[in-house]
């Protein structure tokens, strides 16, 4: 970027400051009336093929108005739960149902347990008796049929019964679209029910019931989030400053955008933005790849093929010290409610600039369908090419972990290539393995994304299959020490997790992309072994 952050637009409490030359794109958006048309929910903006989908997916532009109706019933329910000694919220949800609540929870330190996983160890950790007795479970699914969410609900029901809480309907709070199977179940068993705005797609649902119900029940002042979004909405299409237009132009400017918290109050927004951008823009063989960084200036932040963005809650957002070389390419600062709406608008604008329908997700169901087939027919018969210590190696000609990683890095040495690490592990107990992202980025210079499976299937999974076909994939799986049954199903959580990993492999292999799988026969030893191996690479 330039030595000076050349362009700053601030309105509605949020500022976007950038040194990237996006003047032509900003002028195009304004001259073609795109912001005003988005505000008017004009479904024709993204072309005739996108019109049918856009016509039923633009409610997010002003959904915060409808969300005000949630405030009184949520306050009432929270008081009722607290009177019963229930002061902890566990959230069973995936993708758009979990990522916005996670950002709100982390930013406000609410302590919500986010269960967007099928790893039995991670789920078992939430089923201890002491925790359960003070827990209400929010079950969130737009369709009402999400397999992970349904499986988690069944596990909680059995766990409640095991500790003598047989009348547990009041412990469940359902969030879903009108007419879904989940609405029918909630009504049938007498559980709490909140219906979401059906005109809002999952990844744009931060300010609907999906984002607000679990966080309000955990103690968040969601009215303030709504107010922040409403204040920012007044800036849409402004002839003066319109920060979302600048941000949209920045997102569309390069093949990759790297995102880090700047440490000024908003925590974890990159994980939510990752899903929003990847699912909205990663299709038709093109799009912008989002990469979430561990912190400012983390490995892989910069490159000629990417824009480096920082996100925070301060009013200025600009670093107060350090050289121009330490400056990000774009700084996005403002309150969380405004951030949600700004990034949603910016992604819709970027879709217009790139020529992509930002509301469909044509490849998301592919791995899901593969998983269902594997659950019915059984896991494929796969044998490791080699075993190195606590790691089985699949899809590589090498007999060592270091050699397999070296092969993968060679495949990543091409124009616009990126590395995606797909970890079907426990993101709490196996958290150390996430250090691998920065290690690989440091050694290759390529963009490196990190995904916890199956969480990423509802996020970057769309980009992997539908975006530019330059990905190089490292899948990590592991042995399970203690499995967990899924009541009413003929498979366990470990079986579901293994089927999801296998289904995703099949989807990637069908595209003939480089893929290596490392299976940890001992998770802790295997994690240490992989990290040691990558650090030994030259």
């Amino acid at each position: 970027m330039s030595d000076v952050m050349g362009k700053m637009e601030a309105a509605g409490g949020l500022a976007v400051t950038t040194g990237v030359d996006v003047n032509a794109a900003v002028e195009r958006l304004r001259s073609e009336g795109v912001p005003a048309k988005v505000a008017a929910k004009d479904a024709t903006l993204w072309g005739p093929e996108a019109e049918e989908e856009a016509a039923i997916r633009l409610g997010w532009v002003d959904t915060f108005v409808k969300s005000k109706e949630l405030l009184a019933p949520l306050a009432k329910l929270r008081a009722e739960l607290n009177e019963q000694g229930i002061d902890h919220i566990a959230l069973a949800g995936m993708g758009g149902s979990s990522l916005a609540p996670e950002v709100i929870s982390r930013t406000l330190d609410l302590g919500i347990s986010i269960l967007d996983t099928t790893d039995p160890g991670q789920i078992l950790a939430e089923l201890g008796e002491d925790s359960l007795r003070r827990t209400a479970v929010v079950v969130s699914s737009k369709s009402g049929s999400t397999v992970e969410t349904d499986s988690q609900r069944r596990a909680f029901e059995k766990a409640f019964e095991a500790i003598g809480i047989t009348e547990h309907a009041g412990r469940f709070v359902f969030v879903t679209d009108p007419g879904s199977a989940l609405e029918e179940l909630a009504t049938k068993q007498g559980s709490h029910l909140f219906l979401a705005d059906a005109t809002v797609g999952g990844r744009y649902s931060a300010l609907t019931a999906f984002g607000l119900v679990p966080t309000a029940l955990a103690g968040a002042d969601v009215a303030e989030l709504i107010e922040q979004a409403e204040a920012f909405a007044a800036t849409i299409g402004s002839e003066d400053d319109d920060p979302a237009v600048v941000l949209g132009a920045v997102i569309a400017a390069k093949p990759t955008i790297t995102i880090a918290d700047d440490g000024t109050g908003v925590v974890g927004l990159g994980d939510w933005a990752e899903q929003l951008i990847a699912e909205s823009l990663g299709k038709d063989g093109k799009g912008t790849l989002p990469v979430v960084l561990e912190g400012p200036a983390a490995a892989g932040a910069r490159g000629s093929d990417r824009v480096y963005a920082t996100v925070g809650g301060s009013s200025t957002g600009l670093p107060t010290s350090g050289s121009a070389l330490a400056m990000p390419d774009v700084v996005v600062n403002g309150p969380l409610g405004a951030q949600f709406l700004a990034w949603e608008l910016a992604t819709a604008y970027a879709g217009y600039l790139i020529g992509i329908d930002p509301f469909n997700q044509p490849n998301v169901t592919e791995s899901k369908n593969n998983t269902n087939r594997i659950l019915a027919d059984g896991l494929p018969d796969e044998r490791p090419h080699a075993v190195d210590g606590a790691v089985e190696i699949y899809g590589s000609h090498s007999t060592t972990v270091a050699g397999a990683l070296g092969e993968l890095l060679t495949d990543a040495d091409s124009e616009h290539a990126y590395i995606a690490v797909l970890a079907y592990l426990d993101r709490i107990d196996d958290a150390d393995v996430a250090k691998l992202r920065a290690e690989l980025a440091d050694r290759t210079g390529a963009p490196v994304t990190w995904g916890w499976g199956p969480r990423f299937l509802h996020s970057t999974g769309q980009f992997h299959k539908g975006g530019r076909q330059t990905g190089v994939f490292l899948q990590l799986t592991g042995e399970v020490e203690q499995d967990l049954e899924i009541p009413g199903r003929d498979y366990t959580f470990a079986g579901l997790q293994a089927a999801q990993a296998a289904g995703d492999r099949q989807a990637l292999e069908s595209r003939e992309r480089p893929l290596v799988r490392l299976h940890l026969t001992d998770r802790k030893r295997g994690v240490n072994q992989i990290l040691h191996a990558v650090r030994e690479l030259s």
Side-chain angles (χ1 to χ4, degrees):
M1 64 161 272
S2 62
D3 289 346
V4 178
M5 297 293 275
K7 189 173 189 63
M8 177 177 179
E9 298 212 9
L14 183 136
V16 174
T17 311
T18 185
V20 180
D21 183 4
V22 292
N23 290 331
V26 168
E27 177 56 30
R28 178 187 168 195
L29 289 170
R30 287 176 169 161
S31 65
E32 295 176 9
V34 173
K37 290 177 182 178
V38 170
K41 302 180 184 178
D42 184 344
T44 67
L45 260 179
W46 299 272
E49 291 185 4
E51 186 173 348
E52 183 178 359
E53 182 80 20
I56 59 172
R57 288 290 178 260
L58 283 165
W60 54 271
V61 173
D62 59 2
T63 193
F64 49 81
V65 175
K66 183 177 291 187
S67 292
K68 292 177 182 178
E69 299 172 4
L70 297 169
L71 298 178
L74 282 171
K76 181 174 181 291
L77 178 55
R78 182 167 189 256
E80 291 174 358
L81 293 174
N82 286 347
E83 286 176 5
Q84 299 170 43
I86 299 172
D87 61 0
H88 177 66
I89 298 299
L91 173 59
M94 299 296 297
S97 299
S98 65
L99 290 166
E102 183 174 72
V103 177
I104 299 169
S105 177
R106 292 180 65 190
T107 297
L108 301 180
D109 195 23
L110 301 177
I112 298 174
S113 295
I114 308 289
L115 286 169
D116 51 357
T117 184
T118 50
D119 188 90
Q122 194 172 333
I123 295 168
L124 279 164
E126 295 298 323
L127 301 182
E129 180 172 352
D130 290 344
S131 175
L132 275 178
R133 291 197 178 279
R134 44 185 286 268
T135 294
V137 184
V138 177
V139 181
S140 287
S141 170
K142 185 173 177 65
S143 68
S145 60
T146 308
V147 65
E148 299 95 337
T149 303
D150 178 70
S151 300
Q152 293 155 3
R153 173 188 63 80
R154 292 168 181 266
F156 271 102
E157 286 180 348
K158 183 176 180 180
F160 281 130
E161 291 167 2
I163 63 171
I165 303 177
T166 54
E167 299 296 325
H168 48 61
R171 295 280 187 134
F172 286 90
V173 182
F174 292 85
V175 183
T176 190
D177 274 7
S180 77
L182 208 56
E183 179 189 10
E184 182 180 352
L185 175 63
T187 302
K188 179 181 178 181
Q189 70 182 32
S191 291
H192 308 287
L193 174 65
F194 290 88
L195 295 177
D197 187 342
T199 67
V200 180
R203 57 188 177 274
Y204 290 82
S205 66
L207 296 167
T208 72
F210 288 110
L212 303 181
V213 169
T215 52
L217 295 180
D221 182 358
V222 296
E224 185 176 14
L225 292 174
I226 292 171
E227 289 168 4
Q228 292 164 355
E230 191 164 26
F232 187 76
T235 73
I236 301 175
S238 168
E239 294 182 2
D240 298 317
D241 280 355
D242 191 345
V245 168
V246 176
L247 181 57
V250 168
I251 292 172
K254 294 288 183 72
T256 297
I257 182 169
T258 59
I259 306 171
D261 295 344
D262 71 7
T264 64
V266 173
V267 183
L269 191 95
D271 290 315
W272 171 81
E274 177 184 54
Q275 187 216 12
L276 176 67
I277 295 168
E279 276 201 340
S280 298
L281 306 181
K283 61 197 73 165
D284 302 334
K286 52 188 176 181
T288 302
L289 174 71
V291 176
V292 182
L293 304 174
E294 296 79 10
R302 301 181 181 282
S304 60
D305 61 344
R306 69 205 76 165
V307 170
Y308 167 39
T310 60
V311 179
S314 75
S315 57
T316 63
L318 292 175
T320 56
S321 62
S323 69
L325 292 175
M327 293 280 283
D329 297 315
V330 60
V331 173
V332 187
N333 276 81
L336 188 53
Q339 290 273 5
F340 283 138
L341 183 55
W343 285 87
E344 289 166 353
L345 288 162
T347 300
Y349 299 153
Y352 180 84
L353 291 170
I354 297 170
I356 288 176
D357 174 2
F359 305 114
N360 69 350
Q361 50 279 331
N363 305 104
V364 164
T365 60
E366 185 175 351
S367 292
K368 186 185 302 184
N369 292 339
N370 289 348
T371 296
N372 290 337
R373 186 178 64 253
I374 291 167
L375 287 172
D377 299 341
L379 289 168
D381 184 17
E382 299 172 290
R383 307 292 174 87
H385 170 73
V387 178
D388 180 8
V391 181
E392 295 177 346
I393 301 169
Y394 298 79
S396 171
H397 299 295
S398 178
T399 58
T400 67
V401 172
L405 291 172
E407 284 183 14
L408 203 67
L409 301 194
T410 299
D411 288 328
D413 188 20
S414 61
E415 186 178 13
H416 297 319
Y418 70 93
I419 301 169
V421 187
L422 318 174
Y424 286 84
L425 298 168
D426 182 331
R427 70 183 179 110
I428 307 301
D429 276 1
D430 301 324
D432 278 353
V433 75
K435 296 174 183 176
L436 186 59
R437 193 216 68 83
E439 298 283 358
L440 290 172
D442 186 52
R443 278 151 185 78
T444 63
V448 181
T449 71
W450 182 271
W452 292 105
R455 168 184 169 114
F456 77 85
L457 292 177
H458 301 257
S459 179
T460 50
Q462 165 62 43
F463 192 100
H464 298 334
K465 286 94 175 173
R468 64 179 186 268
Q469 293 303 293
T470 58
V472 174
F473 299 93
L474 174 62
Q475 188 184 82
L476 306 176
T477 56
E479 288 296 302
V480 170
E481 289 187 7
Q482 184 179 356
D483 203 354
L484 179 63
E485 291 183 358
I486 302 174
R489 296 289 183 250
D490 57 4
Y491 49 84
T492 65
F493 275 100
L496 175 56
Q497 184 184 45
Q500 289 176 314
D504 195 38
R505 286 198 300 277
Q506 291 177 355
L508 296 171
E509 288 166 349
S510 71
R511 289 163 172 76
E512 300 182 346
R513 297 308 307 157
L515 187 151
V516 170
R517 174 192 172 203
L518 301 180
H519 181 75
L520 314 182
T521 55
D522 179 297
R523 292 198 183 193
K524 291 194 181 302
R525 286 178 54 216
V527 167
N528 289 335
Q529 189 178 338
I530 291 171
L531 289 174
H532 178 75
V534 74
R535 289 164 184 163
E536 291 297 309
L537 295 174
S538 58

